[in-house]
Amino acid sequence: DAGVTQSPTHLIKTRGQQVTLRCSPKSGHDTVSWYQQALGQGPQFIFQYYEEEERQRGNFPDRFSGHQFPNYSSELNVNALLLGDSALYLCASSLDRAEAFFGQGTRLTVV
Amino acid sequence: AQSVTQPDIHITVSEGASLELRCNYSYGATPYLFWYVQSPGQGLQLLLKYFSGDTLVQGIKGFEAEFKRSQSSFNLRKPSVHWSDAAEYFCAVAALNQAGTALIFGKGTTLSVSS
């Protein structure tokens, strides 16, 4: 079992650009959640996808959007990047409603 | 609103000594509670979880946690710390609703282990 896999592992973007991060859930999981973890902080919930629909959303602007594909994999898109978007982006998958398994994350640096 | 507080930002423990990391939560109903560990530059690994039943839960790597409803606490303990336990520890509560589940995390406690 490969667990939750995320790509890429590191990414450097320029302010104003757009970025897409990808996540493959753990085998058998149908729900994908995304979190943003700023340096020195705990992860913050961005949104959750289930059955290809956004089921729940945290307090993040519309610049953050996502998608879930029929195979349950997911993408996180961030438009008009700001310096403050620099963070570790974590993907978590689950089958139960509460037990989430996390990937290794994508480190995004905006310069 | 739901929240999690980890009062200790940084703790240093001698190898072989016992450990307790504190976690307090604010949640209107019966919470689902979790402890995760994160090594530098890595994702989060689940140490243990509390859903219901026995208030003392056992986890991986010799960790345990006790749910105390009266104190709104879910403290993590380990009787003897190993150098490999040095990492960032996060307490989280699951905000359950009809729409799904979002984990709310504390800001974390950094554990250093001295020899």
Side-chain angles (χ1 to χ4, degrees):
Chain A
D1 182 1
V4 180
T5 58
Q6 293 186 242
S7 62
T9 55
H10 296 85
L11 201 54
I12 300 175
K13 288 287 190 178
T14 304
R15 274 180 300 175
Q17 284 188 317
Q18 180 263 347
V19 68
T20 297
L21 310 181
R22 295 176 176 83
C23 173
S24 293
K26 185 177 169 66
S27 177
H29 286 183
D30 58 7
T31 302
V32 173
S33 303
W34 288 91
Y35 291 81
Q36 180 195 66
Q37 186 179 18
L39 201 60
Q41 300 295 315
Q44 289 203 315
F45 176 74
I46 302 175
F47 43 52
Q48 183 181 84
Y49 277 84
Y50 173 73
E51 293 188 343
E52 302 181 50
E53 302 240 341
E54 184 182 287
R55 181 162 69 175
Q56 191 178 8
R57 188 179 184 93
N59 188 26
F60 277 81
D62 292 344
R63 297 187 298 109
F64 289 77
S65 63
H67 188 77
Q68 186 179 35
F69 298 93
N71 66 352
Y72 307 123
S73 66
S74 177
E75 289 181 348
L76 164 66
N77 301 293
V78 187
N79 294 323
L81 284 166
L82 304 174
L83 294 179
D85 295 331
S86 296
L88 181 67
Y89 288 84
L90 295 165
C91 172
S93 73
S94 59
L95 180 59
D96 298 328
R97 301 192 75 200
E99 184 167 357
F101 292 81
F102 284 81
Q104 297 300 295
T106 293
R107 171 71 63 188
L108 173 65
T109 302
V110 182
V111 297
Chain B
Q2 298 89 359
S3 66
V4 174
T5 302
Q6 294 180 245
D8 305 304
I9 297 174
H10 192 178
I11 285 182
T12 299
V13 175
S14 298
E15 190 169 16
S18 63
L19 169 71
E20 182 169 29
L21 302 182
R22 296 184 291 163
C23 172
N24 294 98
Y25 67 90
S26 172
Y27 189 67
T30 300
Y32 287 6
L33 294 160
F34 307 82
W35 275 99
Y36 285 88
V37 62
Q38 184 178 39
S39 297
Q42 300 297 308
L44 300 171
Q45 181 182 22
L46 179 67
L47 285 175
L48 47 79
K49 60 183 185 280
Y50 171 77
F51 283 178
S52 64
D54 193 349
T55 57
L56 184 64
V57 294
Q58 303 296 321
I60 62 171
K61 302 184 180 185
F63 286 93
E64 66 177 27
E66 186 171 12
F67 170 59
K68 293 185 177 180
R69 185 187 300 276
S70 61
Q71 298 177 19
S72 297
S73 69
F74 188 58
N75 294 348
L76 181 71
R77 300 194 295 248
K78 187 171 184 177
S80 177
V81 168
H82 187 261
W83 64 266
S84 60
D85 293 324
E88 188 84 13
Y89 290 80
F90 293 96
C91 180
V93 63
L96 292 173
N97 56 43
Q98 289 185 343
T101 302
L103 288 171
I104 298 170
F105 286 86
K107 292 188 176 182
T109 297
T110 301
L111 173 65
S112 297
V113 180
S114 61
S115 57

